Amino acid sequence: EQNSALISIPSVHDSTVAPAGRAVLHCYTPATEPYALWEGMDQRSSVYQARKEERAQFLWEAIERVIPDIRERATVTRVGTPLTHERFLRRHRGTYGPAIVAGKQSFPFPNHVP
């Protein structure tokens, strides 16, 4: 659980996705976030908001390994959860991306162990 994070910067390939002088960074856990932690939660509740903050720390820490001052540099942030993905992306149980567990698979070749 939460031992792998994927980071991409799509604005490197398409500068139109961010304002001039800015970039877009996308970081997520590759289909390894346990749905059971979120199932049945009220997305408007303070408990839900607190869990989002708590679970997002892993992602922030992963990004900080390559961009140490990311939290100071970020001007807009959005945190999605399996419930977000389930609702807006119509993903079964909120899955997102390929299920990759560190030390067991690699990206982009999930059947290859490094």
Side-chain angles (χ1 to χ4, degrees):
E1 174 183 327
Q2 285 200 321
N3 67 358
S4 182
L6 291 178
I7 301 170
S8 68
I9 305 174
S11 52
V12 168
H13 299 288
D14 182 357
S15 63
T16 66
V17 300
R22 297 308 225 175
V24 172
L25 185 144
H26 179 213
C27 183
Y28 63 97
T29 56
T32 56
E33 179 67 6
Y35 186 77
L37 291 176
W38 303 94
E39 193 168 14
M41 290 189 84
D42 178 351
Q43 291 176 287
R44 295 167 298 210
S45 73
S46 60
V47 173
Y48 177 80
Q49 295 303 319
R51 180 154 305 154
K52 277 176 61 170
E53 286 298 315
E54 171 197 336
R55 300 299 286 179
Q57 293 313 304
F58 169 78
L59 299 173
W60 282 113
E61 291 165 8
I63 299 166
E64 287 170 336
R65 292 177 71 180
V66 290
I67 308 172
D69 61 346
I70 188 63
R71 293 186 206 221
E72 292 80 36
R73 295 170 66 183
T75 56
V76 176
T77 63
R78 298 287 183 264
V79 176
T81 71
L83 298 182
T84 309
H85 299 150
E86 186 175 57
R87 179 177 178 197
F88 292 102
L89 303 176
R90 303 184 81 175
R91 301 294 305 183
H92 175 69
R93 297 180 62 81
T95 61
Y96 188 84
I100 298 172
V101 177
K104 294 185 180 179
Q105 299 102 0
S106 66
F107 184 79
F109 307 105
N111 294 323
H112 173 74
V113 177

